[in-house]
Amino acid sequence: MSAIPHLQIKNLRARIEEKEIIKGLNLEIKGGEVHAIMGPNGTGKSTLASTLMGHPKYEVTEGSVTLNGEDVLEMAVDERARAGLFLAMQYPSEISGVTNSDFLRSAINARREEGNEISLMKFIREMDKKMSTLEMDESFAHRYLNEGFSGGEKKRNEILQMMMIEPSICILDEIDSGLDIDALKVVAKGVNEMRAAERGFLIITHYQRLLNYITPDFVHVMMQGRIVKSGGPELAARLEAEGYDWIKEELGIVDETVNANA
Amino acid sequence: MSVDLQLRFDREAITQYSKANQEPAWFLESRLAAFEACAKLELPKLEKTKIDNWNYEQFLPFVTQDKITNADALDEVVKAEIDVTAVKNLLVQKNATVIYHQAAEGNAQGVIFTDLATALREHGDLVQKYWMKAVAADEHKLASLHAALVNGGVFIYVPKNTEVELPLQAVYQIAGDDALLCPHILIVAEANSKVTYVDTYVSSEGKSMVANSIVEVFVGAGASVQLASVRSFSTEVHDYTFRRAIVDRDGKIEWILGEMNDGNTVANNTSVLKGTGSSVDTKTVSVGIGSQRQNLTSQVTHIGTHTESQMTSKAVMTDEATTILNGITKIEKGAEKANGEQGERILMLSEKARGDANPILLIDEDDVKAGHAASVGRISEESVYYLMSRGISRKEAERLIVLGFLDSIVSEIPIEEVKNRLRQALERKLA
Ligand SMILES: Nc1ncnc2c1ncn2[C@@H]1O[C@H](COP(=O)(O)OP(=O)(O)OP(=O)(O)O)[C@@H](O)[C@H]1O
Ligand SMILES: [Mg+2]
């Protein structure tokens, strides 16, 4: 998969139960690019991420999402993943009884033909290497998936999965929340190692801090379930310094959450 | 009441089988007494399960087979379960005949590992001392039927201060229409001895078969017995098992039970902690499939002081299967400082399946600790989504979650071979 990926989101509208949360969102991500999405709480950032990944609770009512021209919305969650999408979740699930390494091996083998599974030796070598990049203790390979992991350990584990799976579009939802400064650097190192022409990133964050380590090419501000402003890294710096009020003023937004009438 | 069908056996048939095996007179008498009694005895009372309409007495009790000397000649179903050439201590029973038996040369002095018929001939007094002493022949109809018709099994005797290093293993196979498999497993572990016994139950082609097994274990002072059993009968077998251990001072018993039958099953597993400081650990794993009905009871009676029990059961329910999972912790008056913990957890994979987890604590002593946890749950869609978001198919995701649910028990199994056998059975049932 050395082709340059291309994710195109057009006029996306999505709702949960009867409540519309994503309200006409446009975004384009190409390989080699790092996009950051910032925005106040409750403006639909995680919903966007989950909708792209295909979480069953969200229903798309309008718009389109394509990856390399293929209709993502038609695909089941696992097909999306195998097509190249990856979501590091804000709140990853804990799965008892399934070890981290068994799980990762299944995930890798799901991308391979039957009979062409990754050899155990090779898998262990890869996993060891990546865990050491992320400064994770070896014991995490044999622990049950996320069970009893601390907040920061879960985040690292999400990045470990990303590094092992090598997706083409990586969506990171608040990968920095709950991380101490050292962990933040480690996670950023993992992400930076993965930056490449054949991979695009969408990084959801509240803090400039993360973006000091992972320099984005584009910064978008999300309010009311859509992107209301886009710019370069300087936009993130200004948000950090001044908050969101100036944007709301500029755009005449009173209630920035998805509850506002669009 | 059951329909009044003519039984397909009588005193005459029992006597013939007994004579053919040169059983001692006392044993034939006990068979005939049990046969007389069984007509009047009731079926056992089971929590939320009616077995009146199950098959428990319509069979041919004494379908005998040819013995074999070469393990290679064992049937494929047996060989699929166990590497017959690698195992050193092995006994194989098919229907009413123990067809193969091999004891390792290295077994310690004085250890007896033989089929029941041989034991009755060669160690009759020893067998008599323990025969139906843990489970009484008149407890209920099934026990009396067993005592009357027992058609095989194993006798294990470990002298005091003796350790049997290699596990003693047995395979019980039922085959052919209307066959009965009625093995009796009698294990006597004298003071400070140590032994592991592992068995497997399989079935071949055949319709309306019945298995009625009794396991009696006598754990001497300071002795340690490990017993692992995996049952993998087809839908055509109705299976009844009563296992009971009597544990003396500081003795220990560990049960590892894979209830992997495809057909109707009643299994009761009871440990009586008689001696001070005796203990038991019971692990049960089950998968319900098709329309099978299962009643699985794990029970401990604390009598001695400072006795400890741990019972853990997990079941996965699919299709239209029903499983009643009972855990009974009984602490008798005087069992001071007893500590009993139990947990039953059921994972439901189908709307039509039924799973009941019934923890029961019966406590007549104040100075004790006892706890229970029971739950019936479903696979979390959030978990499935998480795994699928890494490219894993729904089917594989569900499989991982189910195996993961059982893993806290399976991975704890101390005998590698049993662990693998159980995993194999799980893969088969969850395929
Ligand atoms: N299951 C749900 N039921 C009802 N409302 C929901 C549900 N999930 C999300 N929402 C609502 O959708 C809105 C957007 O939520 P979302 O999690 O996408 O926000 P966010 O931008 O990621 O916020 P944060 O910065 O706090 O993570 C919120 O108002 C939230 O309450
Ligand atoms: Mg969020």
Side-chain angles (χ1 to χ4, degrees), chain A residues 46 87-92 155 158 173-175 177 206:
Chain A
S46 292
L87 169 58
M89 298 189 192
Q90 189 172 359
Y91 304 107
K155 301 288 166 149
E158 293 289 285
D173 191 0
E174 293 200 24
I175 198 68
S177 70
H206 285 291

PDB file of all heavy atoms in Angstrom, chain A residues 46 87-92 155 158 173-175 177 206:
ATOM      1  N   SER A  46     -15.666  13.965  18.514  1.00  0.00           N
ATOM      2  CA  SER A  46     -15.627  12.502  18.648  1.00  0.00           C
ATOM      3  C   SER A  46     -16.687  11.842  17.770  1.00  0.00           C
ATOM      4  O   SER A  46     -16.479  10.751  17.231  1.00  0.00           O
ATOM      5  CB  SER A  46     -15.862  12.087  20.098  1.00  0.00           C
ATOM      6  OG  SER A  46     -14.779  12.480  20.895  1.00  0.00           O
ATOM      7  N   LEU A  87      -8.857   4.422  13.988  1.00  0.00           N
ATOM      8  CA  LEU A  87      -9.276   5.413  14.974  1.00  0.00           C
ATOM      9  C   LEU A  87      -8.696   5.060  16.340  1.00  0.00           C
ATOM     10  O   LEU A  87      -9.015   4.008  16.906  1.00  0.00           O
ATOM     11  CB  LEU A  87     -10.811   5.453  15.052  1.00  0.00           C
ATOM     12  CG  LEU A  87     -11.420   6.253  16.213  1.00  0.00           C
ATOM     13  CD1 LEU A  87     -10.967   7.719  16.199  1.00  0.00           C
ATOM     14  CD2 LEU A  87     -12.954   6.188  16.162  1.00  0.00           C
ATOM     15  N   ALA A  88      -7.833   5.925  16.832  1.00  0.00           N
ATOM     16  CA  ALA A  88      -7.387   5.787  18.220  1.00  0.00           C
ATOM     17  C   ALA A  88      -8.456   6.464  19.057  1.00  0.00           C
ATOM     18  O   ALA A  88      -8.712   7.650  18.928  1.00  0.00           O
ATOM     19  CB  ALA A  88      -6.033   6.460  18.420  1.00  0.00           C
ATOM     20  N   MET A  89      -9.131   5.669  19.889  1.00  0.00           N
ATOM     21  CA  MET A  89     -10.361   6.163  20.513  1.00  0.00           C
ATOM     22  C   MET A  89     -10.109   6.977  21.771  1.00  0.00           C
ATOM     23  O   MET A  89      -9.141   6.761  22.493  1.00  0.00           O
ATOM     24  CB  MET A  89     -11.276   4.983  20.821  1.00  0.00           C
ATOM     25  CG  MET A  89     -11.672   4.265  19.546  1.00  0.00           C
ATOM     26  SD  MET A  89     -12.933   3.036  19.798  1.00  0.00           S
ATOM     27  CE  MET A  89     -12.853   2.202  18.196  1.00  0.00           C
ATOM     28  N   GLN A  90     -11.050   7.875  22.018  1.00  0.00           N
ATOM     29  CA  GLN A  90     -10.950   8.676  23.244  1.00  0.00           C
ATOM     30  C   GLN A  90     -11.117   7.762  24.468  1.00  0.00           C
ATOM     31  O   GLN A  90     -10.427   7.916  25.452  1.00  0.00           O
ATOM     32  CB  GLN A  90     -12.025   9.774  23.225  1.00  0.00           C
ATOM     33  CG  GLN A  90     -11.867  10.783  24.351  1.00  0.00           C
ATOM     34  CD  GLN A  90     -12.823  11.982  24.202  1.00  0.00           C
ATOM     35  OE1 GLN A  90     -13.600  12.081  23.247  1.00  0.00           O
ATOM     36  NE2 GLN A  90     -12.750  12.905  25.147  1.00  0.00           N
ATOM     37  N   TYR A  91     -12.036   6.813  24.363  1.00  0.00           N
ATOM     38  CA  TYR A  91     -12.256   5.864  25.463  1.00  0.00           C
ATOM     39  C   TYR A  91     -12.219   4.432  24.934  1.00  0.00           C
ATOM     40  O   TYR A  91     -13.271   3.846  24.657  1.00  0.00           O
ATOM     41  CB  TYR A  91     -13.601   6.133  26.135  1.00  0.00           C
ATOM     42  CG  TYR A  91     -13.737   7.552  26.631  1.00  0.00           C
ATOM     43  CD1 TYR A  91     -14.573   8.464  25.982  1.00  0.00           C
ATOM     44  CD2 TYR A  91     -12.998   7.992  27.733  1.00  0.00           C
ATOM     45  CE1 TYR A  91     -14.679   9.774  26.423  1.00  0.00           C
ATOM     46  CE2 TYR A  91     -13.094   9.299  28.176  1.00  0.00           C
ATOM     47  CZ  TYR A  91     -13.938  10.193  27.527  1.00  0.00           C
ATOM     48  OH  TYR A  91     -14.025  11.481  27.959  1.00  0.00           O
ATOM     49  N   PRO A  92     -11.049   3.834  24.818  1.00  0.00           N
ATOM     50  CA  PRO A  92     -10.966   2.470  24.275  1.00  0.00           C
ATOM     51  C   PRO A  92     -11.639   1.449  25.203  1.00  0.00           C
ATOM     52  O   PRO A  92     -11.618   1.616  26.417  1.00  0.00           O
ATOM     53  CB  PRO A  92      -9.460   2.189  24.203  1.00  0.00           C
ATOM     54  CG  PRO A  92      -8.772   3.485  24.434  1.00  0.00           C
ATOM     55  CD  PRO A  92      -9.725   4.373  25.176  1.00  0.00           C
ATOM     56  N   LYS A 155      -3.834   4.992  26.111  1.00  0.00           N
ATOM     57  CA  LYS A 155      -3.488   5.836  24.965  1.00  0.00           C
ATOM     58  C   LYS A 155      -2.263   5.290  24.246  1.00  0.00           C
ATOM     59  O   LYS A 155      -2.206   5.227  23.023  1.00  0.00           O
ATOM     60  CB  LYS A 155      -3.216   7.268  25.432  1.00  0.00           C
ATOM     61  CG  LYS A 155      -4.391   7.909  26.145  1.00  0.00           C
ATOM     62  CD  LYS A 155      -5.484   8.236  25.167  1.00  0.00           C
ATOM     63  CE  LYS A 155      -6.761   8.545  25.905  1.00  0.00           C
ATOM     64  NZ  LYS A 155      -7.626   9.486  25.282  1.00  0.00           N
ATOM     65  N   GLU A 158      -3.200   2.390  22.187  1.00  0.00           N
ATOM     66  CA  GLU A 158      -3.843   2.755  20.925  1.00  0.00           C
ATOM     67  C   GLU A 158      -2.774   3.065  19.872  1.00  0.00           C
ATOM     68  O   GLU A 158      -2.882   2.637  18.725  1.00  0.00           O
ATOM     69  CB  GLU A 158      -4.759   3.979  21.110  1.00  0.00           C
ATOM     70  CG  GLU A 158      -5.983   3.729  21.986  1.00  0.00           C
ATOM     71  CD  GLU A 158      -7.017   2.844  21.315  1.00  0.00           C
ATOM     72  OE1 GLU A 158      -7.746   3.297  20.408  1.00  0.00           O
ATOM     73  OE2 GLU A 158      -7.083   1.664  21.700  1.00  0.00           O
ATOM     74  N   ASP A 173      -8.225  10.537  18.478  1.00  0.00           N
ATOM     75  CA  ASP A 173      -9.178  11.346  19.238  1.00  0.00           C
ATOM     76  C   ASP A 173      -8.636  11.597  20.644  1.00  0.00           C
ATOM     77  O   ASP A 173      -8.602  10.691  21.471  1.00  0.00           O
ATOM     78  CB  ASP A 173     -10.524  10.617  19.305  1.00  0.00           C
ATOM     79  CG  ASP A 173     -11.623  11.531  19.847  1.00  0.00           C
ATOM     80  OD1 ASP A 173     -11.337  12.705  20.170  1.00  0.00           O
ATOM     81  OD2 ASP A 173     -12.774  11.048  19.948  1.00  0.00           O
ATOM     82  N   GLU A 174      -8.216  12.794  20.892  1.00  0.00           N
ATOM     83  CA  GLU A 174      -7.682  13.187  22.204  1.00  0.00           C
ATOM     84  C   GLU A 174      -6.659  12.195  22.725  1.00  0.00           C
ATOM     85  O   GLU A 174      -6.740  11.746  23.867  1.00  0.00           O
ATOM     86  CB  GLU A 174      -8.824  13.376  23.211  1.00  0.00           C
ATOM     87  CG  GLU A 174      -9.674  14.560  22.823  1.00  0.00           C
ATOM     88  CD  GLU A 174     -10.507  15.095  23.986  1.00  0.00           C
ATOM     89  OE1 GLU A 174     -10.112  14.883  25.144  1.00  0.00           O
ATOM     90  OE2 GLU A 174     -11.522  15.739  23.711  1.00  0.00           O
ATOM     91  N   ILE A 175      -5.704  11.912  21.869  1.00  0.00           N
ATOM     92  CA  ILE A 175      -4.672  10.960  22.254  1.00  0.00           C
ATOM     93  C   ILE A 175      -3.819  11.540  23.386  1.00  0.00           C
ATOM     94  O   ILE A 175      -3.146  10.820  24.110  1.00  0.00           O
ATOM     95  CB  ILE A 175      -3.814  10.583  21.017  1.00  0.00           C
ATOM     96  CG1 ILE A 175      -3.049   9.295  21.269  1.00  0.00           C
ATOM     97  CG2 ILE A 175      -2.883  11.709  20.604  1.00  0.00           C
ATOM     98  CD1 ILE A 175      -3.920   8.081  21.375  1.00  0.00           C
ATOM     99  N   SER A 177      -5.020  13.407  25.971  1.00  0.00           N
ATOM    100  CA  SER A 177      -5.675  13.649  27.264  1.00  0.00           C
ATOM    101  C   SER A 177      -5.243  12.597  28.275  1.00  0.00           C
ATOM    102  O   SER A 177      -5.167  11.412  27.964  1.00  0.00           O
ATOM    103  CB  SER A 177      -7.196  13.665  27.106  1.00  0.00           C
ATOM    104  OG  SER A 177      -7.657  12.381  26.825  1.00  0.00           O
ATOM    105  N   HIS A 206      -7.498  19.223  22.292  1.00  0.00           N
ATOM    106  CA  HIS A 206      -7.875  20.503  22.891  1.00  0.00           C
ATOM    107  C   HIS A 206      -6.668  21.405  23.095  1.00  0.00           C
ATOM    108  O   HIS A 206      -6.809  22.571  23.408  1.00  0.00           O
ATOM    109  CB  HIS A 206      -8.524  20.269  24.270  1.00  0.00           C
ATOM    110  CG  HIS A 206      -9.918  19.742  24.175  1.00  0.00           C
ATOM    111  ND1 HIS A 206     -10.955  20.512  23.702  1.00  0.00           N
ATOM    112  CD2 HIS A 206     -10.449  18.532  24.459  1.00  0.00           C
ATOM    113  CE1 HIS A 206     -12.067  19.788  23.730  1.00  0.00           C
ATOM    114  NE2 HIS A 206     -11.787  18.583  24.175  1.00  0.00           N
TER     115      HIS A 206
END
